[in-house]
Amino acid sequence: MIVKNEEDNLQRCLESVKDIVDEMIIVDTGSTDDTVKIAKSYGAKVFYFQWNGNFSDARNYAFEKAKGNWIMRMDADEELSATDREKVLPLLNNSDVDVYVFQTLNYTDNISGIETITNLNIRLIRNHKGYKYKNAIHEQLYKSMDSAEQKKFVIEKIVVYHYGYLNTMTMKKNKPSRNMKILENILEKDPNNNFHLYNMGNEYLRLGKYKKALEYYKKVYKKINPDLFYTPKLLAKMMLALDRLKMYEEEMEVLNTGLKYYPKFTDLEYQRACLFHKQKKYSLAIKGLKKCIKMGEPPVSLKTLNDVGGYRAYYALAEIYSKLGDYDEAYNYYIETIKAKSNYHMPLYRIAENLEKRGKEINVMKARLERFFGKSLNEGAYAKLGDIFYGIEKYDVSLEYFLKAQEIVNTDKNLYYCLGLTQMHLKNYEEAYKWFEKVEEGDRYEQAIYKMILCDILSNNMENAEKLLGIANTFESKNMTIVYKSFKNLVEDKECEIISNDKEESKEFLDIIFILLNLIIKVSTPEIFEKSRQLLNLIDNDEASLKLAKLYYNKGYSNLAYQEFIRSIKLFDKIDKEGLEMMGNILDIPSSVTI
């Protein structure tokens, strides 16, 4: 392994392999934390390498230190699957193989176990056979000396978990910036290197700079070679960039090209069905998703997004049938989704909505949803049920479940916060305040203070609200404190200062104001909401009317929404596709319906 400042990850990695290796070779490239200390606690042999911006040099240096007949390559932010660990050692007895490739399961957001992407990576390499790495980044293995003993590369269904693409870890280590500097140096010398052009596109994609990513992908796509190992990934990522840019016609061309080269590439079939869904071509989308289920998962060499032949396809079908108003069929596919991936809880939220739309009584809804958690409901199940019923605005039922969870675990600050929110929505401001007050530290603390301020304002306890605003003034989020202070003054009918006359600065305040408006419209009276919307007059932003119209629409106030859409168009010349669709939906409401 080569490492630098990996104290958060290294122990997990070494624990996963310690029982199957004879020695641990760890090359440190300049750690300033406890990385080396942790490595030595596992009996690792630690060597030091002066970082020169070249991953291959560091990895080859580590190879030179290894004495065993086989080398297992890992990174500190990885973990060998516990269930696959016993499969590794028997592989070493096969004299016909020099290199084994394992599947790497990359977690791509902060919900480990849900959003994953699969790569293939070399993991086991026969030592003393001349294998070396080349390329400063995204190293490739090659055989450095001539040999008639060229043996097999074999792919095994052994999983290594990779946590390095989680948002928090990526930003902490500033990986994109580091990688791009190395790639820029390479491309300056070799501007037509397709592999590194592809990798540069990946870094821009990771940063959300889709136009720039597409620019690099297109350079590679012009010379597309379906025999190269990274071409399926190129197509999948190029398609993603096009999708984010809403370049749907070009995206469809890339999808069709990919399926021509790789007819078993279920990922592309799934993405094509999703594109049909976006284009409201529901019949084609349904046909495509059912084809995905029939195809199943693609060959490992093509696999990128996991479970496209399983729970993802089932869930997408459920969403389409729900959109079409076929709630029975939607319900069936939500059930199939849960069967395919039991730890994926989003279908439970949608099932709750589904049961409500089908007019099921509350006791029936509770019984159906409880059934998914088995016979013995624990605190986690009660908390999840509370969140599900909170999501469909059944706040009394939500409160019931949250209280049951709290009875079992009476020191959970996240539960205190949830109980506070539920009581606030039931307009029990004093009870809500008491729960928020219990959140004394941690991630929820600042949000709890702001909710306590809101409870005080809504219950006309202005003196205490002022004291809490003083506490909030010590937080980093100064802008939020300014908004809450202005809201308090508006409720008291006091004169308010302009929050911002600067258009750029006003954008930041606009987001904060709408978070508050979204809450106030639910937890307060129409009179208080009318006062709160005056916050929009205290900033300089011509998107405010459009956002307010959408807020009204989403809360079911169709007449107010339509009036605000018209105001946005007339005064600010602002409307978008979503707004036009909402206006169309309002006009389609029968005249007999009272709004």
Side-chain angles (χ1 to χ4, degrees):
M1 301 171 65
I2 55 175
V3 299
K4 181 181 178 182
N5 292 335
E6 292 286 1
E7 65 179 5
D8 295 336
N9 295 308
L10 188 57
Q11 182 174 353
R12 178 183 59 215
C13 179
L14 297 183
E15 277 290 329
S16 76
V17 299
K18 67 178 184 180
D19 296 328
I20 61 168
V21 298
D22 295 309
E23 64 175 356
M24 292 179 178
I25 304 296
I26 294 186
V27 170
D28 187 82
T29 62
S31 293
T32 55
D33 61 5
D34 284 338
T35 295
V36 171
K37 182 180 177 182
I38 294 167
K40 288 182 176 178
S41 75
Y42 279 84
K45 299 172 184 176
V46 179
F47 300 90
Y48 299 92
F49 181 84
Q50 182 65 44
W51 179 245
N52 64 352
N54 189 306
F55 281 94
S56 285
D57 287 350
R59 205 169 291 284
N60 289 332
Y61 178 75
F63 271 30
E64 290 170 11
K65 305 300 179 184
K67 295 176 182 174
N69 292 326
W70 285 86
I71 292 170
M72 183 175 191
R73 170 191 162 162
M74 294 284 286
D75 287 332
D77 55 7
E78 295 176 332
E79 177 186 18
L80 179 64
S81 166
T83 56
D84 289 344
R85 194 176 300 150
E86 62 184 27
K87 300 177 184 177
V88 175
L89 292 180
L91 300 177
L92 310 185
N93 298 323
N94 191 337
S95 59
D96 294 328
V97 179
D98 267 1
V99 176
Y100 286 102
V101 177
F102 296 173
Q103 297 176 52
T104 304
L105 205 63
N106 300 284
Y107 295 122
T108 57
D109 65 8
N110 289 312
I111 313 172
S112 299
I114 302 300
E115 291 301 326
T116 55
I117 291 174
T118 295
N119 286 332
L120 292 177
N121 294 99
I122 290 170
R123 293 295 176 182
L124 289 177
I125 304 156
R126 195 182 289 275
N127 201 6
H128 314 302
K129 295 292 182 181
Y131 286 105
K132 298 286 184 183
Y133 278 97
K134 64 179 180 179
N135 293 339
I137 191 169
H138 302 295
E139 319 85 272
Q140 300 296 298
L141 192 72
Y142 75 106
K143 199 158 189 177
S144 61
M145 51 187 177
D146 295 332
S147 174
E149 290 188 86
Q150 190 70 36
K151 296 184 180 179
K152 291 180 183 176
F153 278 47
V154 173
I155 297 172
E156 290 289 334
K157 289 186 177 180
I158 294 175
V159 171
V160 173
Y161 301 111
H162 179 222
Y163 304 96
Y165 291 152
L166 288 171
N167 296 336
T168 50
M169 210 167 289
T170 300
M171 293 304 108
K172 182 179 179 181
K173 289 181 171 292
N174 199 15
K175 285 185 179 180
S177 177
R178 177 203 66 189
N179 293 352
M180 290 169 84
K181 284 178 184 176
I182 298 172
L183 287 166
E184 282 169 3
N185 290 334
I186 296 171
L187 289 170
E188 190 174 336
K189 299 171 187 172
D190 188 7
N192 296 316
N193 187 310
N194 278 353
F195 180 60
H196 290 305
L197 288 169
Y198 159 73
N199 284 316
M200 184 65 94
N202 293 345
E203 297 303 334
Y204 278 113
L205 187 73
R206 199 187 303 184
L207 291 170
K209 297 183 178 180
Y210 303 114
K211 284 185 180 178
K212 200 69 180 173
L214 190 59
E215 180 184 320
Y216 281 92
Y217 290 147
K218 282 187 173 181
K219 289 178 182 179
V220 186
Y221 186 69
K222 283 179 183 177
K223 304 173 186 176
I224 190 168
N225 181 350
D227 296 326
L228 294 174
F229 74 95
Y230 61 85
T231 301
K233 305 281 186 189
L234 166 71
L235 292 168
K237 291 180 178 183
M238 187 176 177
M239 173 275 306
L240 179 60
L242 289 164
D243 193 76
R244 293 289 188 272
L245 294 167
K246 298 183 179 180
M247 299 170 66
Y248 297 138
E249 288 186 17
E250 196 169 339
E251 181 185 354
M252 187 62 77
E253 288 176 15
V254 173
L255 286 165
N256 289 334
T257 298
L259 285 165
K260 180 180 72 175
Y261 288 129
Y262 312 108
K264 295 182 180 180
F265 200 170
T266 317
D267 301 49
L268 296 187
E269 192 67 59
Y270 171 79
Q271 297 293 358
R272 183 164 67 174
C274 290
L275 182 53
F276 283 138
H277 185 184
K278 285 177 187 172
Q279 295 173 328
K280 298 184 179 180
K281 298 175 181 178
Y282 298 122
S283 295
L284 289 172
I286 290 169
K287 183 179 177 181
L289 291 166
K290 288 182 177 179
K291 184 177 179 181
C292 288
I293 294 167
K294 188 175 180 180
M295 290 170 70
E297 294 301 293
V300 174
S301 58
L302 295 177
K303 199 170 188 179
T304 54
L305 193 62
N306 289 303
D307 298 307
V308 289
Y311 88 90
R312 292 181 190 274
Y314 286 123
Y315 186 74
L317 281 165
E319 292 288 273
I320 292 173
Y321 280 115
S322 183
K323 179 77 174 177
L324 295 172
D326 189 344
Y327 300 122
D328 289 334
E329 196 70 1
Y331 181 86
N332 292 334
Y333 277 110
Y334 286 130
I335 297 297
E336 290 300 319
T337 307
I338 294 169
K339 286 180 183 176
K341 195 174 184 71
S342 59
N343 68 337
Y344 183 47
H345 290 143
M346 186 55 70
L348 296 179
Y349 292 84
R350 307 297 279 151
I351 284 171
E353 294 174 9
N354 181 287
L355 292 171
E356 186 181 33
K357 287 174 180 174
R358 291 159 69 197
K360 300 297 182 184
E361 293 182 0
I362 198 68
N363 288 334
V364 173
M365 293 174 66
K366 288 168 66 177
R368 289 269 186 98
L369 288 160
E370 285 180 12
R371 200 182 304 158
F372 291 107
F373 294 93
K375 293 180 181 179
S376 56
L377 293 175
N378 59 21
E379 67 276 8
Y382 284 131
K384 181 62 69 176
L385 286 162
D387 196 47
I388 289 167
F389 280 96
Y390 180 91
I392 59 170
E393 300 184 5
K394 302 292 183 185
Y395 300 118
D396 52 343
V397 181
S398 175
L399 179 63
E400 175 190 330
Y401 282 119
F402 282 138
L403 285 171
K404 285 181 178 179
Q406 195 270 331
E407 285 174 14
I408 300 170
V409 183
N410 58 13
T411 57
D412 189 322
K413 293 178 176 60
N414 189 55
L415 265 177
Y416 294 154
Y417 187 81
C418 292
L419 281 159
L421 277 180
T422 309
Q423 290 282 23
M424 181 184 278
H425 280 81
L426 290 167
K427 297 183 172 59
N428 300 328
Y429 306 128
E430 291 183 9
E431 286 298 316
Y433 186 100
K434 289 175 185 177
W435 287 114
F436 289 131
E437 198 173 21
K438 290 176 179 286
V439 185
E440 295 175 350
E441 57 185 17
D443 297 338
R444 296 282 198 180
Y445 173 68
E446 290 189 11
Q447 286 301 317
I449 292 292
Y450 286 114
K451 298 299 184 298
M452 289 162 68
I453 293 168
L454 188 54
C455 286
D456 275 335
I457 294 171
L458 296 178
S459 54
N460 202 32
N461 191 359
M462 299 301 181
E463 186 176 341
N464 199 58
E466 192 64 40
K467 288 179 184 177
L468 290 171
L469 281 165
I471 295 173
N473 207 38
T474 65
F475 301 157
E476 287 187 20
S477 52
K478 303 291 184 188
N479 289 355
M480 189 173 288
T481 307
I482 291 168
V483 169
Y484 272 72
K485 176 73 174 177
S486 298
F487 172 59
K488 175 179 172 290
N489 289 338
L490 287 169
V491 172
E492 292 182 287
D493 295 320
K494 290 183 178 179
E495 189 172 336
C496 288
E497 294 181 4
I498 294 296
I499 292 176
S500 177
N501 280 318
D502 181 85
K503 282 188 177 292
E504 282 303 310
E505 186 183 49
S506 289
K507 287 180 183 178
E508 297 176 21
F509 282 107
L510 185 69
D511 291 337
I512 296 169
I513 289 169
F514 269 95
I515 291 171
L516 182 58
L517 292 180
N518 265 286
L519 186 57
I520 292 171
I521 201 170
K522 289 182 178 180
V523 305
S524 187
T525 63
E527 292 76 20
I528 294 293
F529 181 77
E530 196 60 33
K531 289 184 177 182
S532 70
R533 56 171 275 185
Q534 293 176 44
L535 288 165
L536 298 172
N537 298 328
L538 305 179
I539 60 173
D540 184 7
N541 190 284
D542 55 9
E543 298 280 349
S545 282
L546 182 58
K547 284 179 74 77
L548 184 60
K550 291 179 181 180
L551 172 62
Y552 281 139
Y553 179 88
N554 288 324
K555 301 307 177 190
Y557 299 106
S558 299
N559 271 348
L560 290 173
Y562 192 81
Q563 291 167 18
E564 204 63 40
F565 279 128
I566 296 298
R567 184 170 182 270
S568 176
I569 294 168
K570 285 185 175 179
L571 296 183
F572 304 106
D573 195 26
K574 290 287 181 180
I575 193 65
D576 58 16
K577 185 178 179 181
E578 183 184 39
L580 287 171
E581 286 180 359
M582 288 177 174
M583 291 178 76
N585 290 339
I586 293 167
L587 292 173
D588 283 342
I589 296 173
S591 58
S592 59
V593 175
T594 303
I595 302 171

